[in-house]
Amino acid sequence: MLFELATPTRMLVSVDADEIVAPGVEGYFGVLPGHAAFLTTLAPGEVTYRSGQSEHHLAVGGGFAEVTAERVVILAENAERPEEIDRERAERARQRAEMRLQGKSPDGSLEEIDFSRALEALARALTRLLVWSHAQSR
């Protein structure tokens, strides 16, 4: 089946895939050829697709997925391939988000925190680190 993943600024993937797993807002979902059609919102997370014996991982920051029997199209708010991820930057983002969730600003002072934004930032950072680590383990 055709798998395409695009952001507002670029097309990241356009390949024939045997299986796709993506982070829906209600949990991860898998798609095989012939799947029933549906449309869903994506949460920040890891998209995995398999073509033959090759498995590929991408970090996405939310968006939408359209599934039909013949194709899966993901329109992501942002997305990165593992080789595009700066691990040190993602680690710093994770640390900042964790500090904010503790009610502290990056300089250590107490401040009013938008917890939903901090949770989203933490999810994005953890996803980027996970995708990066999958690429390193091959």
Side-chain angles (χ1 to χ4, degrees):
M1 79 185 124
L2 177 63
F3 172 52
E4 294 182 321
L5 189 146
T7 71
T9 58
R10 65 185 178 149
M11 175 71 79
L12 258 73
V13 177
S14 183
V15 299
D16 283 323
D18 300 313
E19 177 183 19
I20 296 117
V21 177
V25 292
E26 295 184 16
Y28 276 82
F29 61 90
V31 180
L32 297 170
H35 199 287
F38 71 95
L39 182 66
T40 190
T41 305
L42 296 179
E46 179 181 28
V47 171
T48 304
Y49 67 95
R50 186 176 49 78
S51 295
Q53 297 299 315
S54 298
E55 188 171 278
H56 305 274
H57 303 270
L58 303 163
V60 297
F64 299 92
E66 177 187 27
V67 175
T68 67
E70 306 86 30
R71 71 181 197 165
V72 175
V73 176
I74 292 180
L75 303 174
E77 292 172 18
N78 55 62
E80 293 173 286
R81 293 181 182 99
E83 62 271 15
E84 299 169 333
I85 294 172
D86 180 338
R87 193 196 69 73
E88 288 80 22
R89 184 172 167 237
E91 183 61 37
R92 287 191 306 273
R94 181 193 63 78
Q95 290 170 354
R96 281 192 309 274
E98 287 177 346
M99 286 186 71
R100 285 197 168 93
L101 288 170
Q102 294 172 12
K104 299 175 185 170
S105 69
D107 65 9
S109 64
L110 296 178
E111 66 177 34
E112 190 170 326
I113 304 300
D114 182 338
F115 286 97
S116 63
R117 284 187 60 198
L119 281 172
E120 288 176 19
L122 180 60
R124 284 190 309 270
L126 290 173
T127 296
R128 294 176 77 228
L129 290 167
L130 176 67
V131 169
W132 182 87
S133 70
H134 279 146
Q136 300 307 305
S137 64
R138 286 191 231 159

mmCIF file of all heavy atoms in Angstrom, residues 5 12 45-47 57-61 76 78-82 85 124 127-128 131:
data_model
loop_
_atom_site.group_PDB
_atom_site.id
_atom_site.type_symbol
_atom_site.label_atom_id
_atom_site.label_comp_id
_atom_site.label_asym_id
_atom_site.label_seq_id
_atom_site.Cartn_x
_atom_site.Cartn_y
_atom_site.Cartn_z
ATOM 1 N N LEU A 5 3.891 10.588 4.099
ATOM 2 C CA LEU A 5 3.931 11.408 5.297
ATOM 3 C C LEU A 5 4.495 12.762 4.897
ATOM 4 O O LEU A 5 5.605 12.841 4.355
ATOM 5 C CB LEU A 5 4.791 10.778 6.387
ATOM 6 C CG LEU A 5 4.709 11.478 7.749
ATOM 7 C CD1 LEU A 5 4.845 10.472 8.881
ATOM 8 C CD2 LEU A 5 5.712 12.586 7.893
ATOM 9 N N LEU A 12 8.130 13.913 3.549
ATOM 10 C CA LEU A 12 9.183 13.094 4.146
ATOM 11 C C LEU A 12 9.233 11.696 3.562
ATOM 12 O O LEU A 12 10.310 11.141 3.369
ATOM 13 C CB LEU A 12 8.983 12.973 5.657
ATOM 14 C CG LEU A 12 9.868 13.840 6.526
ATOM 15 C CD1 LEU A 12 9.433 15.269 6.460
ATOM 16 C CD2 LEU A 12 9.873 13.313 7.918
ATOM 17 N N GLY A 45 4.326 11.256 18.747
ATOM 18 C CA GLY A 45 4.789 9.892 18.957
ATOM 19 C C GLY A 45 5.615 9.393 17.788
ATOM 20 O O GLY A 45 6.011 10.145 16.907
ATOM 21 N N GLU A 46 5.828 8.094 17.792
ATOM 22 C CA GLU A 46 6.672 7.447 16.792
ATOM 23 C C GLU A 46 5.811 6.776 15.730
ATOM 24 O O GLU A 46 4.893 6.025 16.044
ATOM 25 C CB GLU A 46 7.543 6.397 17.481
ATOM 26 C CG GLU A 46 8.438 5.645 16.541
ATOM 27 C CD GLU A 46 9.272 4.601 17.277
ATOM 28 O OE1 GLU A 46 8.842 4.084 18.324
ATOM 29 O OE2 GLU A 46 10.372 4.299 16.776
ATOM 30 N N VAL A 47 6.122 7.060 14.482
ATOM 31 C CA VAL A 47 5.508 6.351 13.356
ATOM 32 C C VAL A 47 6.531 5.331 12.878
ATOM 33 O O VAL A 47 7.693 5.666 12.647
ATOM 34 C CB VAL A 47 5.132 7.304 12.204
ATOM 35 C CG1 VAL A 47 4.713 6.525 10.963
ATOM 36 C CG2 VAL A 47 4.037 8.255 12.632
ATOM 37 N N HIS A 57 11.641 4.341 11.292
ATOM 38 C CA HIS A 57 11.036 5.070 12.408
ATOM 39 C C HIS A 57 11.102 6.566 12.130
ATOM 40 O O HIS A 57 12.114 7.073 11.640
ATOM 41 C CB HIS A 57 11.776 4.768 13.710
ATOM 42 C CG HIS A 57 11.821 3.310 14.027
ATOM 43 N ND1 HIS A 57 10.850 2.679 14.761
ATOM 44 C CD2 HIS A 57 12.707 2.350 13.685
ATOM 45 C CE1 HIS A 57 11.140 1.402 14.864
ATOM 46 N NE2 HIS A 57 12.268 1.175 14.218
ATOM 47 N N LEU A 58 10.021 7.260 12.483
ATOM 48 C CA LEU A 58 9.937 8.707 12.342
ATOM 49 C C LEU A 58 9.323 9.290 13.605
ATOM 50 O O LEU A 58 8.449 8.672 14.213
ATOM 51 C CB LEU A 58 9.052 9.096 11.155
ATOM 52 C CG LEU A 58 9.447 8.541 9.790
ATOM 53 C CD1 LEU A 58 8.277 8.645 8.822
ATOM 54 C CD2 LEU A 58 10.649 9.288 9.265
ATOM 55 N N ALA A 59 9.749 10.473 13.990
ATOM 56 C CA ALA A 59 9.140 11.191 15.109
ATOM 57 C C ALA A 59 8.130 12.180 14.529
ATOM 58 O O ALA A 59 8.466 12.936 13.619
ATOM 59 C CB ALA A 59 10.205 11.940 15.900
ATOM 60 N N VAL A 60 6.895 12.155 15.027
ATOM 61 C CA VAL A 60 5.885 13.116 14.584
ATOM 62 C C VAL A 60 5.370 13.891 15.787
ATOM 63 O O VAL A 60 5.313 13.372 16.898
ATOM 64 C CB VAL A 60 4.702 12.464 13.819
ATOM 65 C CG1 VAL A 60 5.167 11.808 12.541
ATOM 66 C CG2 VAL A 60 3.941 11.502 14.682
ATOM 67 N N GLY A 61 4.988 15.113 15.531
ATOM 68 C CA GLY A 61 4.487 15.981 16.597
ATOM 69 C C GLY A 61 3.004 16.227 16.500
ATOM 70 O O GLY A 61 2.544 17.326 16.746
ATOM 71 N N ALA A 76 1.444 15.635 9.118
ATOM 72 C CA ALA A 76 1.985 15.871 10.458
ATOM 73 C C ALA A 76 2.292 17.347 10.672
ATOM 74 O O ALA A 76 2.722 18.042 9.743
ATOM 75 C CB ALA A 76 3.259 15.049 10.654
ATOM 76 N N ASN A 78 4.711 18.373 12.507
ATOM 77 C CA ASN A 78 6.148 18.329 12.260
ATOM 78 C C ASN A 78 6.574 16.871 12.330
ATOM 79 O O ASN A 78 5.893 16.050 12.939
ATOM 80 C CB ASN A 78 6.945 19.213 13.239
ATOM 81 C CG ASN A 78 6.652 18.887 14.674
ATOM 82 O OD1 ASN A 78 6.917 17.770 15.121
ATOM 83 N ND2 ASN A 78 6.102 19.825 15.417
ATOM 84 N N ALA A 79 7.660 16.560 11.670
ATOM 85 C CA ALA A 79 8.159 15.188 11.633
ATOM 86 C C ALA A 79 9.646 15.209 11.332
ATOM 87 O O ALA A 79 10.134 16.099 10.646
ATOM 88 C CB ALA A 79 7.416 14.372 10.575
ATOM 89 N N GLU A 80 10.348 14.204 11.867
ATOM 90 C CA GLU A 80 11.787 14.102 11.660
ATOM 91 C C GLU A 80 12.194 12.655 11.449
ATOM 92 O O GLU A 80 11.661 11.753 12.089
ATOM 93 C CB GLU A 80 12.547 14.617 12.884
ATOM 94 C CG GLU A 80 12.406 16.088 13.150
ATOM 95 C CD GLU A 80 13.061 16.447 14.466
ATOM 96 O OE1 GLU A 80 12.488 16.128 15.525
ATOM 97 O OE2 GLU A 80 14.163 17.037 14.430
ATOM 98 N N ARG A 81 13.180 12.478 10.592
ATOM 99 C CA ARG A 81 13.840 11.188 10.455
ATOM 100 C C ARG A 81 14.881 11.085 11.570
ATOM 101 O O ARG A 81 15.358 12.101 12.080
ATOM 102 C CB ARG A 81 14.541 11.105 9.101
ATOM 103 C CG ARG A 81 13.604 11.090 7.926
ATOM 104 C CD ARG A 81 14.407 10.983 6.622
ATOM 105 N NE ARG A 81 13.528 11.017 5.495
ATOM 106 C CZ ARG A 81 13.292 12.100 4.753
ATOM 107 N NH1 ARG A 81 13.915 13.225 5.012
ATOM 108 N NH2 ARG A 81 12.462 12.041 3.737
ATOM 109 N N PRO A 82 15.279 9.873 11.935
ATOM 110 C CA PRO A 82 16.261 9.731 13.025
ATOM 111 C C PRO A 82 17.548 10.518 12.793
ATOM 112 O O PRO A 82 18.084 11.123 13.728
ATOM 113 C CB PRO A 82 16.543 8.227 13.061
ATOM 114 C CG PRO A 82 15.352 7.593 12.458
ATOM 115 C CD PRO A 82 14.832 8.572 11.443
ATOM 116 N N ILE A 85 17.608 14.192 13.949
ATOM 117 C CA ILE A 85 17.396 14.507 15.360
ATOM 118 C C ILE A 85 18.726 14.791 16.046
ATOM 119 O O ILE A 85 19.666 14.009 15.960
ATOM 120 C CB ILE A 85 16.669 13.340 16.063
ATOM 121 C CG1 ILE A 85 15.255 13.208 15.474
ATOM 122 C CG2 ILE A 85 16.625 13.557 17.576
ATOM 123 C CD1 ILE A 85 14.511 11.978 15.939
ATOM 124 N N ARG A 124 7.056 15.261 22.992
ATOM 125 C CA ARG A 124 7.859 15.470 21.776
ATOM 126 C C ARG A 124 9.319 15.104 22.015
ATOM 127 O O ARG A 124 9.948 14.431 21.197
ATOM 128 C CB ARG A 124 7.739 16.916 21.297
ATOM 129 C CG ARG A 124 6.442 17.234 20.599
ATOM 130 C CD ARG A 124 6.483 18.602 19.924
ATOM 131 N NE ARG A 124 6.917 19.676 20.806
ATOM 132 C CZ ARG A 124 6.109 20.408 21.565
ATOM 133 N NH1 ARG A 124 4.817 20.182 21.565
ATOM 134 N NH2 ARG A 124 6.589 21.374 22.328
ATOM 135 N N THR A 127 9.756 11.323 22.379
ATOM 136 C CA THR A 127 9.598 10.675 21.069
ATOM 137 C C THR A 127 10.861 10.828 20.241
ATOM 138 O O THR A 127 11.344 9.872 19.638
ATOM 139 C CB THR A 127 8.398 11.269 20.308
ATOM 140 O OG1 THR A 127 7.210 10.975 21.041
ATOM 141 C CG2 THR A 127 8.296 10.705 18.906
ATOM 142 N N ARG A 128 11.413 12.031 20.212
ATOM 143 C CA ARG A 128 12.634 12.269 19.436
ATOM 144 C C ARG A 128 13.773 11.393 19.959
ATOM 145 O O ARG A 128 14.530 10.816 19.177
ATOM 146 C CB ARG A 128 13.005 13.746 19.482
ATOM 147 C CG ARG A 128 11.964 14.609 18.776
ATOM 148 C CD ARG A 128 12.236 16.086 18.882
ATOM 149 N NE ARG A 128 13.302 16.402 17.946
ATOM 150 C CZ ARG A 128 14.364 17.128 18.262
ATOM 151 N NH1 ARG A 128 14.521 17.627 19.451
ATOM 152 N NH2 ARG A 128 15.285 17.368 17.345
ATOM 153 N N VAL A 131 13.086 7.675 18.875
ATOM 154 C CA VAL A 131 13.356 7.449 17.446
ATOM 155 C C VAL A 131 14.863 7.475 17.192
ATOM 156 O O VAL A 131 15.396 6.653 16.456
ATOM 157 C CB VAL A 131 12.603 8.485 16.577
ATOM 158 C CG1 VAL A 131 13.074 8.450 15.144
ATOM 159 C CG2 VAL A 131 11.093 8.225 16.661
#
